[in-house]
Amino acid sequence: MKTKIFLSGASGRMGIQIQSLLEQHQDFSLSEILDRDSLLRPVVKQADVWIDFSHDDFLFSLLEKMQKEKKFPALLSGTTNLSEKTNLELRKYATMAPVLWTPNTSLGVSVVESLFPLLASLKDYHWSLQET
């Protein structure tokens, strides 16, 4: 049985890449694809997982809509710069479904973040990191 994916932010850089990756795997199917132009219509299809790489206001509207329609797929969101109201709505949604929110999913950022405790433990050094 395929895992049904609902993708919001489908027309953005990450959305396009995720669509391309999902099309290469037989275990997944895209059950719903939304971007800003499709927000007005109801989310009618069921999904197992909701992947979101959209914008703050779009995510907020979708969180409200999903709750009104009583649809609670697990959510992975990489949307950045969330407002306080969206953060609160995301926390509310997390009481109804599993949620993983990470503002940056790149391997480079994860590696750098794991280095911080080690670098902080080295006294008398000044560190500067540059992404290339």
Side-chain angles (χ1 to χ4, degrees):
M1 185 156 107
K2 290 185 176 190
T3 301
K4 296 176 192 161
I5 307 292
F6 162 43
L7 177 62
S8 55
S11 60
R13 184 173 40 98
M14 286 299 295
I16 291 168
Q17 187 167 5
I18 289 167
Q19 285 181 70
S20 175
L21 290 170
L22 290 174
E23 289 168 359
Q24 298 173 30
H25 294 278
Q26 295 178 359
D27 296 334
F28 303 100
S29 67
L30 283 167
S31 66
E32 188 89 15
I33 300 173
L34 292 181
D35 57 26
R36 284 184 182 267
D37 296 332
S38 54
L39 185 58
L40 297 177
R41 67 179 169 81
V43 179
V44 294
K45 297 179 182 172
Q46 293 294 329
D48 302 307
V49 177
W50 171 14
I51 300 175
D52 171 73
F53 281 88
S54 61
H55 296 276
D56 177 71
D57 57 340
F58 190 65
L59 176 58
F60 178 81
S61 297
L62 281 174
L63 286 165
E64 283 190 319
K65 181 177 280 210
M66 295 296 272
Q67 292 174 65
K68 284 178 186 169
E69 295 182 16
K70 299 194 181 328
K71 296 181 181 172
F72 306 108
L75 169 60
L76 163 65
S77 179
T79 298
T80 58
N81 298 317
L82 297 185
S83 66
E84 184 61 31
K85 75 174 189 172
T86 302
N87 264 313
L88 290 172
E89 203 66 24
L90 190 60
R91 289 178 189 274
K92 184 175 161 186
Y93 187 88
T95 65
M96 297 170 265
V99 171
L100 172 61
W101 175 75
T102 179
N104 195 315
T105 57
S106 74
L107 178 60
V109 168
S110 295
V111 169
V112 168
E113 285 180 347
S114 68
L115 287 174
F116 285 150
L118 174 65
L119 296 175
S121 71
L122 300 174
K123 304 298 180 203
D124 301 322
Y125 284 93
H126 174 76
W127 295 99
S128 175
L129 297 173
Q130 181 177 351
E131 182 182 12
T132 58

